[in-house]
Amino acid sequence: MARQRRVTATDVAREAGVSQTTVSYVLNDVPHQKISAETRQRIHAAVAKLGYAPSAAARTLRTGHSNIVLLLLARMPLGHTAIELVEQLTQALQEHGLSVVTRIDDGGPDASLWADLAPRAVVMLAPVRADRRKRMEAAGIHVINAWRRDPEDAGHDTLAHSQHRVGQLQARYLVAAGHRHLGYAAPADSRLSDFYELRLEGVRDACADLDLPAPVMRKIEPDRESAATAVQAWRSEGVSAVCAFNDEAAFALLAGMRQAGLAAPGDLAVIGVDDIPVARFAEPPLTTVDQHMGIVAAGLAEAILRRQDFSTASAGKPRGESATVVARQSA
Amino acid sequence: MARQRRVTATDVAREAGVSQTTVSYVLNDVPHQKISAETRQRIHAAVAKLGYAPSAAARTLRTGHSNIVLLLLARMPLGHTAIELVEQLTQALQEHGLSVVTRIDDGGPDASLWADLAPRAVVMLAPVRADRRKRMEAAGIHVINAWRRDPEDAGHDTLAHSQHRVGQLQARYLVAAGHRHLGYAAPADSRLSDFYELRLEGVRDACADLDLPAPVMRKIEPDRESAATAVQAWRSEGVSAVCAFNDEAAFALLAGMRQAGLAAPGDLAVIGVDDIPVARFAEPPLTTVDQHMGIVAAGLAEAILRRQDFSTASAGKPRGESATVVARQSA
DNA sequence: CTGAAAGCGCTTACAG
DNA sequence: CTGAAAGCGCTTACAG
């Protein structure tokens, strides 16, 4: 396997009849370096002819930072909403020459997560332990925590904010349908607790705003017995509608109700979150909240770029509704 | 933001009172370099004290290759099965110092996918266009295609093989339950066609082996009308059971049947693939096939390591069943 | 058993 | 408008 020598900027320079310095200037569009259009032309032609691709390693070594933005995902069920977020963020940052790379934070040795990548920034889509964050920052990496509100770092909280909004939407929809006493179905899976807290908070705030009693929260295991028990308990307390943490929890509730001879929305209205592909095939079809990750991604991208001293005169914050209700039959 | 100078191997050497060369030898466990235990000790202490982390960029530049294995995902719904595969593969390769990084192939500019990473190998979990593969190989990157069988590259096909196996299991389960004439519900989404072909092939082969008629395939849109139509058609042809491409398709079928006043498994038995979290909450609870990605990941890891000239005397191929049926009520 | 030195492919002052 | 040269932090022959 005679692996041929890699094509370097020097090869391009030779081919184009200029210095390697000029090649670098042209390829990086260095400002204040007026290079004749004709020279640029020759260089681009040489690049194409030789199939030159710059060495990221060399650039990183020289400049002290890569163009990689590391997206750290928690080891939790992801689903299509998370995937959409990743896609949207990848696209938004790509336009600024930043390369998004995803890793699942498997709780392994700390540095192994990012040492090999030398990312320019790390976006934590999962709760971060403070010490881990500290260590990254000590290594000169910008850490964007999409979970916690941080007054100094506007934009960081876009994901958290969106979760709060989701809870609000669920509650308001239910209240608009005439319900006054709400329940909240949280997942028993402890990896998800930071997640549901934010959504539950949104439900609580909406109830408070509307002068309604606080929602009564129950954790449910992913099985129909656990769900059926919770349903009975809510009903006996006068709860007439429940916000499920996500569509999976909502499915459990619906199954639990069927088992108990009950049916949504009459006996208990149910609203989920995510609009997973099978939500429409639930019995009855599931009313849910769909998140628009394009909005969340735009906010996150802005926060990242601002930290990078990119000239993002990007005309104010991205705006738009980050989630909307998909009304079907379960509520 | 006075970003302090990065800690280098030279700093470690100074601290430990040895040369930078020795630091490198110790940290890389270079064979044939007998270094006294005491020196090693001092070096490791210095590393810990200074919080030294080697520069991946420098190593990559020097050696000509990184320790990164790029996992290229197709832009298609992923689900927990894919996530499990990623996790397992990450873990398996981590033990060999390889760092798995995931990217969604968004069909963007070709090189932007890997140029910034200079990966040592690329694993395509999605169908690859031949020209793209060629270009990567020209750049000295090993390409592992998990989709196609390739006689020269044993192990490459583990994912493809597993898909075939999934189809087989579906068919055999149905036949064991007394069905003789099977249907196959394929997704209309064209991004999924390479995927379902492999599974369908497994169903076909199982039927042929059992001297049964070939399965009759129908593409179904993700809505209950489309599903109901397909169900009626199958029934009129004498098909008594259908293998759905995945659980989502199975849910559509179940919903279509309810709409038509029919019910599984009596009117038509249905078996899915994936055992998504809500499968147990289907009405009736969905019988499905669960894939064990640990097995698939092990096979893939082996193929990657073999290519890297790693001394994987890993005692033969990983063995075990890559998928099993989860029997519930729909079939 | 340990170290001095070359060189990987870039970027970027600096000098024309 | 263009180029010669230093240097980023490693690995690895090579010489002791």
Side-chain angles (χ1 to χ4, degrees):
Chain A
M1 55 173 262
R3 186 136 132 208
Q4 62 268 37
R5 204 177 58 76
R6 126 169 234 140
V7 177
T8 73
T10 305
D11 298 325
V12 173
R14 193 181 308 115
E15 175 76 26
V18 297
S19 77
Q20 194 260 314
T21 303
T22 305
V23 171
S24 180
Y25 285 152
V26 169
L27 263 31
N28 293 311
D29 272 322
V30 177
H32 306 308
Q33 293 287 349
K34 300 284 114 191
I35 310 224
S36 71
E38 197 249 326
T39 302
R40 299 190 114 81
Q41 182 98 334
R42 275 215 314 282
I43 290 174
H44 283 123
V47 165
K49 178 175 175 194
L50 302 179
Y52 170 70
S55 156
R59 183 183 12 69
T60 299
L61 179 59
R62 178 60 234 238
T63 63
H65 59 249
S66 71
N67 282 338
I68 293 174
V69 171
L70 177 60
L71 222 59
L72 232 35
L73 267 26
R75 195 176 194 165
M76 56 164 74
L78 285 175
H80 78 303
T81 304
I83 293 180
E84 198 197 327
L85 175 57
V86 173
E87 278 188 3
Q88 300 273 7
L89 197 54
T90 301
Q91 213 160 8
L93 292 178
Q94 193 159 277
E95 290 163 15
H96 295 268
L98 258 22
S99 200
V100 172
V101 137
T102 299
R103 288 208 64 183
I104 293 171
D105 184 351
D106 59 357
D110 198 79
S112 75
L113 264 182
W114 43 269
D116 259 329
L117 294 170
R120 194 139 162 190
V122 174
V123 179
M124 317 277 329
L125 291 188
V128 221
R129 292 221 322 273
D131 56 332
R132 175 168 277 189
R133 176 173 181 156
K134 284 266 186 335
R135 243 163 306 154
M136 287 187 188
E137 280 171 341
I141 299 171
H142 292 302
V143 178
I144 278 87
N145 182 353
W147 276 107
R148 295 283 162 233
R149 273 160 201 278
D150 187 341
E152 293 174 31
D153 304 314
H156 274 219
D157 63 342
T158 36
L159 187 55
H161 185 264
S162 171
Q163 301 314 306
H164 186 270
R165 182 84 185 119
V166 158
Q168 268 190 335
L169 284 173
Q170 288 184 301
R172 288 191 191 156
Y173 179 85
L174 259 19
V175 172
H179 300 281
R180 322 235 69 207
H181 200 175
L182 309 186
Y184 191 85
D189 186 337
S190 65
R191 296 173 300 175
L192 262 21
S193 50
D194 290 277
F195 226 130
Y196 87 72
E197 285 290 1
L198 294 167
R199 293 182 184 173
L200 173 52
E201 197 59 34
V203 175
R204 278 203 197 100
D205 289 353
C207 288
D209 284 352
L210 267 18
D211 280 325
L212 260 24
V216 4
M217 192 269 268
R218 292 211 145 72
K219 293 200 182 181
I220 60 169
E221 301 284 344
D223 61 76
R224 67 186 67 209
E225 285 69 28
S226 168
T229 307
V231 167
Q232 304 284 21
W234 273 313
R235 280 170 50 84
S236 69
E237 293 164 333
V239 165
S240 64
V242 1
C243 305
F245 162 65
N246 65 7
D247 287 349
E248 285 163 19
F251 264 82
L253 256 23
L254 261 20
M257 289 177 72
R258 274 196 303 273
Q259 171 168 297
L262 304 172
D267 298 309
L268 189 72
V270 174
I271 182 170
V273 180
D274 271 352
D275 195 20
I276 60 176
V278 295
R280 66 180 63 188
F281 302 128
E283 179 58 26
L286 186 65
T287 293
T288 185
V289 175
D290 186 24
Q291 293 181 263
H292 310 307
M293 293 317 237
I295 303 291
V296 175
L300 238 27
E302 238 239 49
I304 295 164
L305 294 171
R306 197 177 327 109
R307 286 284 202 102
Q308 305 298 323
D309 305 318
F310 271 76
S311 51
T312 30
S314 69
K317 299 222 185 153
R319 275 293 144 244
E321 196 45 271
S322 67
T324 45
V325 170
V326 179
R328 285 196 272 251
Q329 274 93 74
S330 71
Chain B
M1 55 171 264
R3 185 138 133 208
Q4 62 268 38
R5 204 177 57 75
R6 127 170 231 140
V7 176
T8 74
T10 305
D11 298 324
V12 173
R14 194 182 307 116
E15 174 76 25
V18 297
S19 78
Q20 194 260 316
T21 303
T22 305
V23 171
S24 179
Y25 284 153
V26 169
L27 264 31
N28 293 310
D29 272 323
V30 177
H32 307 308
Q33 293 286 348
K34 299 284 115 189
I35 310 224
S36 71
E38 197 249 326
T39 303
R40 299 190 114 81
Q41 182 100 333
R42 276 215 314 282
I43 290 174
H44 282 123
V47 165
K49 179 175 174 194
L50 302 179
Y52 170 70
S55 155
R59 185 183 10 72
T60 299
L61 180 58
R62 180 57 235 238
T63 64
H65 59 250
S66 71
N67 281 338
I68 292 174
V69 172
L70 177 61
L71 220 60
L72 232 35
L73 267 27
R75 194 175 196 165
M76 54 165 75
L78 287 175
H80 78 304
T81 304
I83 293 180
E84 198 197 329
L85 175 56
V86 173
E87 278 188 3
Q88 300 273 6
L89 197 55
T90 301
Q91 213 160 6
L93 293 178
Q94 193 160 277
E95 289 162 17
H96 296 269
L98 257 22
S99 198
V100 172
V101 136
T102 299
R103 289 209 62 182
I104 293 171
D105 183 351
D106 59 356
D110 198 78
S112 75
L113 264 182
W114 43 269
D116 261 329
L117 293 171
R120 194 138 160 192
V122 174
V123 180
M124 317 277 328
L125 291 187
V128 220
R129 293 222 322 273
D131 56 333
R132 174 167 278 190
R133 176 173 184 156
K134 283 267 187 336
R135 243 164 306 155
M136 286 186 188
E137 280 171 341
I141 300 170
H142 292 303
V143 178
I144 278 88
N145 183 353
W147 275 105
R148 294 284 162 232
R149 275 160 200 277
D150 187 341
E152 293 173 32
D153 304 314
H156 272 220
D157 62 343
T158 37
L159 187 56
H161 184 264
S162 171
Q163 301 315 306
H164 187 269
R165 181 85 185 119
V166 159
Q168 268 191 334
L169 284 173
Q170 287 184 302
R172 288 192 190 156
Y173 179 86
L174 260 17
V175 172
H179 300 282
R180 322 234 68 207
H181 200 175
L182 310 184
Y184 191 85
D189 186 337
S190 65
R191 295 172 300 174
L192 263 21
S193 49
D194 291 276
F195 227 130
Y196 86 71
E197 286 288 2
L198 294 168
R199 295 183 182 170
L200 173 52
E201 197 59 34
V203 175
R204 278 204 198 101
D205 289 353
C207 289
D209 284 352
L210 269 16
D211 280 326
L212 261 24
V216 3
M217 191 270 268
R218 294 212 143 73
K219 294 200 181 181
I220 61 169
E221 301 284 343
D223 62 75
R224 68 187 66 208
E225 285 69 29
S226 168
T229 307
V231 167
Q232 305 284 24
W234 273 314
R235 281 170 50 84
S236 70
E237 292 164 334
V239 165
S240 64
V242 1
C243 304
F245 162 66
N246 64 6
D247 287 350
E248 285 162 20
F251 263 82
L253 254 23
L254 260 23
M257 289 176 73
R258 275 196 302 273
Q259 171 167 299
L262 304 171
D267 298 310
L268 189 72
V270 174
I271 182 170
V273 179
D274 271 351
D275 194 20
I276 60 176
V278 296
R280 65 179 64 188
F281 302 127
E283 179 58 26
L286 187 63
T287 292
T288 184
V289 175
D290 186 24
Q291 294 180 261
H292 310 308
M293 293 317 233
I295 303 291
V296 176
L300 236 28
E302 239 238 47
I304 295 165
L305 293 171
R306 198 177 326 110
R307 286 285 202 103
Q308 305 299 322
D309 304 319
F310 272 76
S311 50
T312 31
S314 68
K317 299 224 184 149
R319 274 295 144 243
E321 196 45 271
S322 68
T324 46
V325 171
V326 178
R328 284 195 275 251
Q329 275 91 73
S330 70

